[in-house]
């Protein structure tokens, strides 16, 4: 019978001694795993923020804080021009503005560092050195793209051409036309070496094996094919128009670039347009009454559109994924406003729930902020339906381009005296305006839009409900 090993026992003093010896060793091992302790200076980067969903880069309008200024969390340090407005950018930390990486007047992509913030005066020198390293790093990164462009992709073709002879040993693999010719001329395909792609036997290989002289007409087609290929590849280059002699090229501002991008995106939407004539005599009378109280015609039209949209929510909806309806819980009327260097659409939120006097006050504030480029993102990107009014310029009719993310936009022309006939055949002169609506045909159908316009026309022609 095997002997049982004696149990191990340690006295309290021996155990304590072993623990004391093990503790320094475990701390040393832990220190080795963590690596040497390094005290780093606290230098933080101020990044270019994304001030709107469509913003890809921003332009520095001005720096509110100069290098060397001490700032606290929440202070505005820089004014950035986005694609829609000029906005103050606040800092999230306390510190000293050690280095400005992007001066006023220059642009930077969203997420790029535009300044360095040092926590204390002792860290300023290190931040300045870091800024110089960043700027030199950007300068060194500029040449590689040009070097990468220098070796064009002609080098791969030689490598691709090499496999053809290597695969030439594949015998008996022939094209259907080559098999047909081999049968006609009694050529053994096993004895023919193919010169086609991957060693495939071509009709020319069979004719050569049969001793048939190649036809001279075969050369022109091969010459014609390359001629067609370059012409196809040259089409994309033709889209870049040559410069006009004596012309001055002015690049888009951030806002103009955003408008251009949105207009191009709208071309992918299957839109259709419906026009409707509306008598405005009673609306003109109401306008003369409320005008002294600060109510504009734009507000009256926006209120009428909101009331009609409440009855036809599909016109207030949108198609964002190409496969579903998005019904908006709020009716927010965006109104196109021309400003210096672009176009913006301030939004009258909850337009169906506010009276015309509150809407007018809000509209004046929005227009003032839009002219000063001080609109907040929710004040210009939350629209569910857009109104564009050129009637004040005497334009009698026009079509508006559908903004991305919305289901419809209304274009309002001028109200002009027009000869009309009533149901009894009597002629009279009445004021009439033409309204055109552009809608997304994926979600809004002709009958929906016609019914909406009929309701809108009834509200305009009997506008007492606008004052309730």
């Amino acid at each position: 019978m095997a002997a049982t090993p004696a149990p191990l026992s340690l006295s309290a003093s021996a155990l304590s001694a072993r623990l004391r010896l093990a503790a320094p060793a475990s701390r040393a091992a832990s220190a080795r795993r963590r690596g040497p302790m390094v005290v780093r200076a606290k230098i933080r980067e101020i990044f270019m923020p994304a001030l709107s969903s469509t913003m890809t880069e921003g332009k520095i309008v001005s720096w509110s804080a100069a290098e060397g200024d001490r700032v606290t969390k929440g202070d505005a340090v820089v004014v950035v021009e986005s694609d829609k407005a000029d906005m103050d950018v606040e800092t999230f930390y306390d510190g000293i503005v050690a280095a400005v990486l992007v001066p006023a007047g220059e642009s930077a992509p969203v997420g790029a560092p535009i300044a360095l913030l040092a926590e204390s005066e002792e860290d300023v020198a290190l931040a300045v050195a870091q800024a110089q390293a960043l700027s030199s790093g950007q300068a060194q990164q500029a040449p590689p793209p040009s070097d990468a462009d220098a070796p064009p992709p002609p080098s791969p073709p030689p490598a691709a051409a090499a496999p053809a002879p290597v695969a030439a040993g594949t015998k008996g693999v022939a094209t259907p036309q080559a098999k047909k010719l081999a049968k006609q001329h009694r050529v053994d395909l096993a004895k023919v070496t193919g010169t086609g792609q991957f060693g495939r036997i071509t009709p020319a290989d069979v004719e050569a094996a049969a001793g048939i002289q190649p036809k001279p007409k075969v050369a022109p087609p091969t010459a014609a094919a390359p001629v067609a290929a370059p012409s196809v590849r040259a089409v994309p280059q033709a889209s870049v128009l040559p410069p006009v002699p004596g012309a001055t090229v002015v690049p888009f501002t951030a806002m103009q670039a955003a408008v251009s991008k949105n207009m191009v995106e709208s071309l992918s939407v299957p839109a259709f347009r419906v026009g409707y004539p509306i008598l405005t005599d009673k609306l003109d009378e109401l306008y003369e009454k409320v005008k002294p109280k600060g109510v504009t015609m734009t507000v009256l039209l926006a209120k009428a559109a909101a009331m009609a949209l409440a009855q036809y929510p599909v016109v207030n909806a949108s198609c964002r994924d190409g496969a579903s309806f998005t019904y908006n819980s709020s009716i927010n009327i965006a109104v196109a406003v021309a400003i210096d260097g672009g176009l913006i659409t301030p939004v009258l939120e909850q337009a169906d729930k506010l009276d015309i006097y509150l809407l007018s006050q809000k509209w004046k504030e929005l227009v003032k902020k839009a002219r000063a480029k001080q609109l907040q993102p929710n004040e210009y990107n939350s629209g569910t339906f857009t109104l564009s009014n050129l009637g004040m310029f005497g334009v009698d009719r026009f079509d508006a381009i559908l903004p991305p993310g919305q289901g419809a936009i209304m274009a309002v022309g001028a109200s002009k005296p027009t000869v009309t006939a009533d149901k009894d055949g009597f002629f009279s002169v009445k004021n009439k305006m033409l309204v055109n609506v552009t809608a997304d045909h994926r979600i809004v159908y002709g009958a929906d839009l016609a019914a909406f316009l009929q309701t809108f026309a009834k509200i305009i022609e009997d506008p007492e409900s606008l004052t309730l």
Side-chain angles (χ1 to χ4, degrees):
M1 185 172 179
T4 307
L8 294 173
S9 62
L10 291 174
S11 65
S13 59
L15 179 61
S16 175
R18 290 195 178 188
L19 289 175
R20 284 196 301 270
L21 289 172
S26 63
R27 283 196 297 268
S30 175
R32 284 195 299 271
R33 286 195 300 269
R34 291 196 303 265
M37 293 182 62
V38 178
V39 179
R40 298 184 182 276
K42 291 188 178 179
I43 300 171
R44 296 184 172 91
E45 295 176 329
I46 300 176
F47 297 100
M48 175 64 71
L51 302 178
S52 71
S53 58
T54 58
M55 178 176 169
T56 57
E57 69 172 11
K59 181 180 179 182
I60 305 297
V61 178
S62 62
W63 282 95
S64 308
E67 292 184 352
D69 289 353
R70 183 174 289 277
V71 294
T72 57
K73 181 180 179 181
D75 286 350
V77 293
V78 63
V79 179
V80 174
E81 176 190 355
S82 71
D83 52 1
K84 298 292 184 183
D86 294 350
M87 299 184 65
D88 291 327
V89 176
E90 301 175 353
T91 177
F92 296 99
Y93 305 100
D94 299 343
I96 301 171
V97 180
V100 172
L101 303 178
V102 182
E106 294 189 8
S107 301
V110 170
I114 57 176
L116 296 180
L117 197 68
E119 188 177 66
S120 63
E121 294 182 359
E122 291 75 13
D123 302 328
V124 172
L126 192 60
V128 172
Q130 182 176 333
Q132 292 174 351
L134 284 173
S135 59
S136 62
Q138 291 173 356
Q140 290 174 1
Q141 287 175 1
S146 60
D147 293 338
D149 294 338
S155 52
V166 174
T170 306
K171 295 183 179 182
V173 181
T175 64
Q177 181 64 20
K179 290 179 181 179
K180 184 178 179 181
L181 289 175
K183 186 175 181 181
Q184 290 176 358
H185 300 290
R186 297 181 181 181
V187 175
D188 186 2
L189 291 176
K191 298 179 180 179
V192 179
T193 302
T195 61
Q197 189 177 17
F198 303 112
R200 175 164 290 200
I201 300 171
T202 65
D205 298 330
V206 175
E207 290 177 347
I212 301 173
Q213 294 294 329
K215 297 179 181 180
K217 295 181 180 178
V218 177
T222 53
V227 172
S231 64
V232 174
R233 294 178 183 174
V235 171
Q237 297 177 359
S239 62
V240 180
L241 299 177
V244 179
T248 302
V249 178
V250 179
F252 284 161
T253 63
M255 180 179 292
Q256 291 167 340
V259 171
S260 174
K261 179 175 177 291
N262 289 339
M263 294 303 96
V264 171
E265 285 182 5
S266 69
L267 295 177
S268 63
V269 176
F272 73 108
R273 296 161 182 81
V274 175
Y276 204 93
I278 303 175
L279 299 178
T280 63
D281 292 272
K282 291 185 178 180
L283 180 69
D284 295 336
E285 292 175 5
L286 175 63
Y287 175 60
E288 291 302 324
K289 291 179 182 178
V290 298
K291 184 178 179 181
K293 299 179 182 179
V295 179
T296 64
M297 181 60 75
T298 297
V299 168
L300 292 176
L301 294 171
K303 178 65 176 178
M307 294 173 63
L309 289 170
Q311 300 183 43
Y312 297 94
V314 70
V315 184
N316 191 54
S318 61
C319 180
R320 297 180 177 272
D321 57 2
S324 62
F325 291 77
T326 299
Y327 285 95
N328 298 298
S329 58
S330 301
I331 298 177
N332 300 335
I333 306 297
V335 184
V337 174
I339 62 175
D340 245 358
L343 175 76
I344 198 166
T345 53
V347 178
L348 288 167
E349 297 179 335
Q350 308 284 346
D352 59 321
K353 298 178 181 178
L354 300 179
D355 61 47
I356 56 175
Y357 303 104
L358 288 176
L359 282 175
S360 295
Q361 293 176 8
K362 191 172 183 180
W363 179 242
K364 287 180 181 178
E365 294 172 1
L366 288 171
V367 171
K368 184 178 179 181
K369 293 173 74 173
R371 307 282 187 202
K373 295 186 177 181
Q374 294 297 323
L375 287 174
Q376 298 300 309
N378 65 295
E379 294 175 326
Y380 59 76
N381 63 10
S382 58
T384 59
F385 180 90
T386 298
L387 177 70
S388 181
N389 180 16
L390 293 181
M392 70 282 290
F393 299 109
V395 176
D396 60 351
R397 73 184 75 188
F398 68 102
D399 288 330
I401 299 177
L402 185 66
Q406 294 186 20
I409 179 173
M410 176 182 289
V412 181
S415 176
K416 294 185 177 181
T418 308
V419 177
T420 60
D422 60 19
K423 60 182 179 180
D424 298 322
F426 292 100
F427 291 94
S428 61
V429 177
K430 294 185 177 181
N431 290 329
K432 182 188 289 186
M433 72 177 181
L434 294 176
V435 172
N436 289 338
V437 177
T438 303
D440 185 346
H441 213 324
R442 294 174 298 178
I443 56 172
V444 183
Y445 303 147
D448 300 324
L449 203 53
F452 164 76
L453 283 171
Q454 284 180 340
T455 302
F456 178 76
K458 288 178 181 178
I459 296 172
I460 294 296
E461 292 176 356
D462 188 13
E464 291 303 321
S465 58
L466 294 176
T467 59
L468 298 180

